[in-house]
Amino acid sequence: MTMTQDARPTLTVVVLTLNEEHCIEQCLKSAAFADQLLVIDSGSTDATVALVQGQGAEVQVYADWRGFGVQRTRALQHVRGDYIFFLDADEVMTPAFAQELKAVVATEEKAVWKIRWRIVAFGQELRYFRATTEVERLFRRDQLQEYTGVVHEEAVLREKNVPRHSICEPLLHHTRPSVRAGLEKMTQYAILGAAKRIELNKKGGVIRGLAAGMVMFVRFYFFRLGFLCGGAGFLYCFFVALEAFFRYAALQFDREALTDEIRR
């Protein structure tokens, strides 16, 4: 689908899923205004696919997981919109965010837009936490070539020096809804982060992990004001620090297994 002078630009919202039955409905409902709602599933064994279909979204299943970058690249062949927005399964668009997103798409500008978050963890919003991270999520479809990286993946554009903007309204990010979910997510991202660092020939080890974990905890708990968010704030910052530690531990002690996994 391409833009013409007589037609408004269209939007595709893409969501990657794997066993997301606990959160996928509220995610998709918040993006129901999109011209195309596309879900790329990685082989869910729970009710995710049925719930997605119940919301009227299009589902494509790629069960041979090879990283977030590959899954996002696979999505591109199914996109019909002029613009593509990547929404995570544990994220929710507020009405204000949706309105701003529609206004941005209506400009037809050739640019990339970043988003930021309001963090919700362990059942409560971390209202005082300074979520300063911004990630690129909105692209012109004709400019987006592919994604690279197994985790914290990066978009590869067909043109250089494309303008970057930020969407002012934040997304609600329902990260780590429980301790169990936090442990599972920590394991997943620690291993994926270790695999990415193997590709970059980084060194691992317990000392490096301790240093990385302490730096991350101090940054999140003190400088980003996690200490003002009670027990949930402490847990969130602690899990982020543990993820950093185990990333470097796995990089040393699981290196052979991770290398074999990358070569597959």
Side-chain angles (χ1 to χ4, degrees):
M1 186 180 295
T2 56
M3 286 178 283
T4 67
Q5 291 183 343
D6 299 322
R8 66 173 179 81
T10 53
L11 172 67
T12 294
V13 173
V14 174
V15 184
L16 304 188
T17 58
L18 176 62
N19 296 330
E20 309 286 359
E21 65 179 9
H22 62 288
C23 62
I24 191 60
E25 286 186 295
Q26 64 175 350
C27 170
L28 295 180
K29 286 178 181 178
S30 75
F33 63 89
D35 299 284
Q36 180 191 14
L37 197 50
L38 173 64
V39 171
I40 305 298
D41 189 76
S42 300
S44 293
T45 56
D46 64 2
T48 296
V49 172
L51 292 172
V52 167
Q53 292 171 335
Q55 293 297 318
E58 176 183 340
V59 187
Q60 300 292 336
V61 179
Y62 293 94
D64 58 327
W65 174 259
R66 288 188 281 162
F68 287 101
V70 171
Q71 292 297 80
R72 293 194 193 279
T73 300
R74 285 167 166 171
L76 300 183
Q77 64 185 302
H78 304 288
V79 170
R80 297 190 297 274
D82 302 307
Y83 285 81
I84 176 171
F85 182 86
F86 287 97
L87 181 68
D88 285 353
D90 59 359
E91 295 172 344
V92 174
M93 296 187 195
T94 64
F97 183 94
Q99 282 298 115
E100 185 175 357
L101 178 58
K102 288 186 283 188
V104 167
V105 170
T107 66
E108 303 186 18
E109 183 179 355
K110 289 188 175 182
V112 173
W113 284 264
K114 301 177 182 180
I115 62 95
R116 57 190 179 87
W117 295 292
R118 284 164 49 195
I119 303 295
V120 181
F122 307 105
Q124 69 180 66
E125 182 177 349
L126 307 185
R127 296 185 180 276
Y128 302 104
F129 185 78
R130 296 174 58 193
T132 58
T133 301
E134 291 188 317
V135 292
E136 296 178 350
R137 289 291 188 83
L138 179 64
F139 306 86
R140 279 273 296 248
R141 175 63 186 90
D142 56 7
Q143 291 184 308
L144 183 54
Q145 180 174 319
E146 63 177 346
Y147 268 88
T148 60
V150 293
V151 67
H152 299 147
E153 58 281 5
E154 297 181 357
V156 178
L157 304 182
R158 292 189 172 90
E159 302 175 19
K160 295 182 179 180
N161 301 319
V162 176
R164 261 70 175 180
H165 305 304
S166 295
I167 294 177
C168 295
E169 289 292 334
L171 278 175
L172 281 176
H173 187 194
H174 292 265
T175 181
R176 298 174 175 86
S178 65
V179 171
R180 178 172 181 170
L183 289 168
E184 292 170 349
K185 183 170 185 176
M186 179 194 70
T187 302
Q188 178 190 19
Y189 277 83
I191 297 303
L192 288 172
K196 182 174 183 177
R197 282 160 178 76
I198 285 178
E199 294 178 323
L200 299 173
N201 294 317
K202 299 288 186 179
K203 295 181 179 180
V206 171
I207 301 301
R208 290 176 184 269
L210 284 172
M214 286 190 294
V215 167
M216 194 65 71
F217 183 79
V218 169
R219 180 187 303 168
F220 276 57
Y221 194 64
F222 294 104
F223 291 100
R224 296 195 181 179
L225 307 184
F227 70 93
L228 294 177
C229 302
F234 175 84
L235 276 177
Y236 175 74
C237 298
F238 189 58
F239 270 113
V240 172
L242 284 176
E243 181 186 316
F245 168 75
F246 283 113
R247 186 183 304 139
Y248 283 94
L251 191 54
Q252 177 177 348
F253 294 102
D254 293 357
R255 195 177 193 94
E256 184 176 343
L258 289 170
T259 301
D260 291 341
E261 187 70 23
I262 292 171
R263 289 172 177 169
R264 291 180 185 176

